[in-house]
Amino acid sequence: DNILDHPHHQIIRDHLGMEGHASTLTTGGLLKPAIADKLWAYIENGDHENVLKLLRSGLDIDGRLDIEGLTPLMLAADLQQVEIVKELADAAWGADCNLKTTNG
């Protein structure tokens, strides 16, 4: 058995908005809709502090906001939220700047 498949780990993943089981989980997975909607609104409104709070709570920085594969970094760049882009792209958070959406 994979220790990361333990029910306690699933509870933590659920709380953080990470879908899937740990044995198949990679960064960049689809975020839960409620978490994705909240993060989308924070980014759209330039709410830098609440974006950081979600990230500090352990949210997958490369988590996908929608089925097209949009990441928080992609959305912030599209919306020209410069401060959020700088924070997400900072090496301390480790956002993958090379990810692509399903459409490329």
Side-chain angles (χ1 to χ4, degrees), residues 32-54:
K32 285 190 169 190
I35 299 293
D37 289 346
K38 189 181 293 189
L39 183 54
W40 190 299
Y42 292 157
I43 293 170
E44 194 170 52
N45 293 317
D47 190 342
H48 183 257
E49 286 304 313
N50 276 318
V51 170
L52 288 178
K53 283 180 187 177
L54 281 177

Side-chain angles (χ1 to χ4, degrees), residues 53-104:
K53 283 180 187 177
L54 281 177
L55 292 171
R56 286 184 194 122
S57 74
L59 185 75
D60 178 4
I61 194 163
D62 292 323
R64 303 305 178 124
L65 296 166
D66 61 14
I67 60 171
E68 298 298 322
L70 196 67
T71 67
L73 181 59
M74 291 174 195
L75 178 62
D78 285 347
L79 297 176
Q80 300 177 6
Q81 296 291 353
V82 177
E83 291 305 312
I84 295 174
V85 169
K86 286 179 184 177
E87 191 69 42
L88 295 174
D90 187 280
W93 289 113
D96 186 344
C97 298
N98 297 308
L99 292 176
K100 296 179 181 180
T101 64
T102 56
N103 297 323

Side-chain angles (χ1 to χ4, degrees), residues 18-29:
M18 300 166 68
E19 300 213 352
H21 296 285
S23 58
T24 59
L25 188 65
T26 59
T27 59

